[in-house]
Amino acid sequence: MLAGGRAERLGTPKPGVVVGGRPLLEHALAATSGAGRTVVVGPDELADPDRYALTREDPPFGGPVAGIAAGLSALPGPDDGGAVWVLVLACDVPRAAEAVPALLAAARHRTDEVAVHAVRGGRDQWLVGLYERAALHAALAALPAVHGASVRNLLSGLPALAVPDEDGATDDVDTWEDAREQDRRLGAGAVPPPDETPHDPHDGRRPR
């Protein structure tokens, strides 16, 4: 799970932003509840060893591809009982738990595909997807560098099943407007994380 971006438009780390009564990180963890092991790629303050492993790309803020590489490295390998398939998930998709069952169902009916990812309004949602571990390793190894690499460059060449998202389950939170919209869908007031008053670019206020 990718939880270490700068979140420049929100002005505060995304994992702690509350929508629908829960932080974004908690929504994402709910989507991984059936996983054999969960790895969160993010800063030290997210550590919760009883629930998941925490790691970080080196250097930090290397982008989602660097985060995927770090997370994959933190999972057990095939010789240690590691899973054949890996769920790659951004932490800013609060309704991801609604999308994951459809991905799993599609994966059970694949033929030669090594990836299953959501598509929303014709746009590939690479960071709500299932990927064969070996194919993901090979794709990462084929890149000249992972730091700053494009997710499209990493994943678009993989034979994939596209799962349409007609209900917006894969819509993410990039701005406070997005947070308010997700909150409306989930039914509670979006608030910043405790002890923080971030800048909302839509209302002109500055942090205190």
Side-chain angles (χ1 to χ4, degrees), residues 3-82:
R6 294 185 187 276
E8 292 178 346
R9 283 188 281 177
L10 280 171
T12 192
K14 286 186 180 182
V17 173
V18 176
V19 297
R22 290 195 293 175
L24 286 175
L25 180 60
E26 293 299 323
H27 287 288
L29 288 170
T32 69
S33 61
R37 178 162 183 166
T38 299
V39 174
V40 173
V41 183
D44 291 345
E45 55 264 30
L46 298 182
D48 191 345
D50 292 334
R51 302 174 68 198
Y52 51 78
L54 182 70
T55 190
R56 192 76 188 268
E57 73 274 19
D58 185 18
F61 304 116
V65 173
I68 290 170
L72 197 60
S73 295
L75 287 170
D79 295 337
D80 298 319

Side-chain angles (χ1 to χ4, degrees), residues 85 102-104 106-107 110 113-118 128-131 159-163:
W85 285 77
L103 299 179
L104 292 168
R110 73 192 188 283
E113 293 86 1
V114 298
V116 180
H117 62 78
V128 185
L130 289 165
Y131 301 90
L161 282 177
V163 178

Side-chain angles (χ1 to χ4, degrees), residues 115 133 144 153 161:
R133 182 193 186 100
N153 286 346
L161 282 177

Side-chain angles (χ1 to χ4, degrees), residues 2 31 46 50 65 74 84 115 160 166-167 189-190 204:
L2 306 177
L46 298 182
D50 292 334
V65 173
V84 175
E166 304 293 347
D167 299 322

